[in-house]
């Protein structure tokens, strides 16, 4: 079974400051890892993914995430937050050894960036 | 940019009624999914569909649910006899067959309210 934990329901950060949204995962094999963002009344938009290779992956809107195998983590980061980054962020995992492509999502973390 | 489209955006129905939610996946995608998100909770997998059959389903996807690809473009989710607890946002997603890395593209969702 695969699972994702997002330990924070909400993260508050001031505009211009760095932000981190935490994610840890559990899979029986090696993971594919994803971050999605959801703006109010919208669907999930893909931000970035880790498949293999460099542990630091860069995605849309200046976001990046670092894969840490020993800590089974995939934290989302951005060096300088914008008010427009305020949204709900979901981490997701898929076991690459699974024959299926189903993603398992975390419960989401609300990011609030204050002016 | 191609996108997944869903209709209706919002449907209100009485308990016990049948509901059909419709999705038009991205045209060259071959893997299709339904997820749901109960208000304030995480995004939950319902079912995946490939080659005109269900490839995986969750415990949520019981006999009240069915999926169909009635023509070359639409992908539908039917709830036979709705219950109050079926109230949720339902997301359709699709995946490019050439990308085995599991990145899903989501629609903006159909909000179902069961009274």
């Amino acid at each position: 079974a695969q699972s994702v934990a997002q330990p924070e329901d909400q993260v508050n950060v001031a505009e211009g400051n760095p932000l981190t949204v935490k994610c840890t995962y559990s899979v029986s094999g090696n993971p594919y890892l994803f971050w999605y963002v959801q703006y109010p009344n919208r669907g999930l938009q893909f931000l970035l993914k880790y498949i293999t290779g460099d542990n630091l992956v860069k995605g849309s809107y200046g976001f990046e995430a670092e894969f840490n195998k020993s800590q089974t983590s995939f934290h989302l980061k951005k060096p300088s937050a914008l008010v427009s980054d305020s949204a709900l962020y979901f981490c997701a995992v898929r076991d690459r050894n699974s024959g299926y492509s189903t993603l398992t999502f975390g419960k989401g973390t609300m990011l609030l960036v204050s002016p | 940019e191609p996108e997944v489209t869903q209709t209706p955006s919002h449907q209100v129905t009485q308990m016990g009624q049948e509901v059909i939610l419709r999705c038009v996946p991205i045209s060259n995608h071959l893997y299709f999914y339904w997820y749901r998100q109960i208000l304030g909770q995480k995004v939950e997998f319902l079912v995946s569909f490939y080659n005109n059959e269900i490839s995986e389903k969750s415990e949520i996807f019981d006999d009240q649910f069915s999926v169909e690809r009635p023509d070359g473009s639409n992908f539908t989710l039917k709830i036979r006899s709705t219950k109050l607890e079926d109230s949720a946002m339902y997301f359709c997603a699709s995946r490019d067959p050439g990308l085995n890395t599991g990145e899903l593209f989501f629609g903006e969702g159909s909000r179902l309210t069961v009274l």
Side-chain angles (χ1 to χ4, degrees):
Chain A
Q2 52 195 37
S3 65
V4 173
Q6 293 182 242
E8 304 150 317
D9 290 335
Q10 185 168 305
V11 170
N12 297 298
V13 64
E15 187 172 35
N17 284 357
L19 68 88
T20 299
V21 182
K22 295 180 180 177
C23 170
T24 58
Y25 67 89
S26 174
V27 295
S28 56
N30 292 312
Y32 295 137
L33 292 156
F34 304 82
W35 277 100
Y36 283 81
V37 60
Q38 184 181 32
Y39 296 100
N41 301 312
R42 302 294 298 275
L44 287 83
Q45 295 180 32
F46 169 76
L47 271 182
L48 52 78
K49 63 184 176 184
Y50 169 79
I51 304 302
T52 188
D54 194 346
N55 289 343
L56 184 66
V57 293
K58 295 185 184 297
S60 307
Y61 313 120
F63 284 93
E64 57 189 29
E66 186 165 14
F67 171 61
N68 187 318
K69 187 173 183 178
S70 63
Q71 297 185 4
T72 61
S73 67
F74 189 57
H75 301 331
L76 182 69
K77 300 180 180 184
K78 187 173 182 180
S80 179
L82 299 172
V83 173
S84 57
D85 292 330
S86 297
L88 188 58
Y89 289 81
F90 290 95
C91 182
V93 68
R94 172 195 161 197
D95 186 340
R96 71 172 66 200
N97 296 324
S98 168
Y100 302 113
S101 57
T102 302
L103 295 184
T104 298
F105 287 85
K107 64 178 174 62
T109 299
M110 178 64 71
L111 173 66
L112 292 177
V113 182
S114 55
Chain B
E1 184 176 328
E3 58 183 19
V4 176
T5 57
Q6 291 185 239
T7 54
S9 56
H10 188 193
Q11 181 158 355
V12 181
T13 190
Q14 295 291 322
M15 190 170 54
Q17 295 297 304
E18 177 183 283
V19 162
I20 297 176
L21 305 179
R22 292 182 168 80
C23 170
V24 179
I26 294 173
S27 61
N28 65 328
H29 287 189
L30 298 179
Y31 295 84
F32 313 117
Y33 308 82
W34 284 101
Y35 283 78
R36 79 173 186 189
Q37 183 182 29
I38 296 173
L39 186 63
Q41 299 186 26
K42 68 178 182 180
V43 177
E44 301 174 294
F45 167 72
L46 292 178
V47 65
S48 60
F49 191 87
Y50 172 71
N51 199 26
N52 285 320
E53 61 182 23
I54 291 173
S55 50
E56 190 178 14
K57 61 182 181 180
S58 71
E59 295 175 349
I60 303 168
F61 194 87
D62 61 21
D63 292 344
Q64 292 297 315
F65 291 89
S66 62
V67 290
E68 192 178 34
R69 189 159 162 81
D71 53 42
S73 60
N74 289 287
F75 178 52
T76 61
L77 174 69
K78 181 191 290 186
I79 309 174
R80 238 177 298 279
S81 178
T82 51
K83 304 187 286 290
L84 295 176
E85 53 265 38
D86 293 328
S87 295
M89 181 73 90
Y90 288 81
F91 292 107
C92 175
S94 67
R95 179 167 77 83
D96 185 334
L99 284 177
N100 191 39
T101 51
E103 176 182 339
L104 305 185
F105 293 83
F106 286 84
E108 296 207 343
S110 293
R111 181 172 298 283
L112 175 64
T113 302
V114 182
L115 302 176

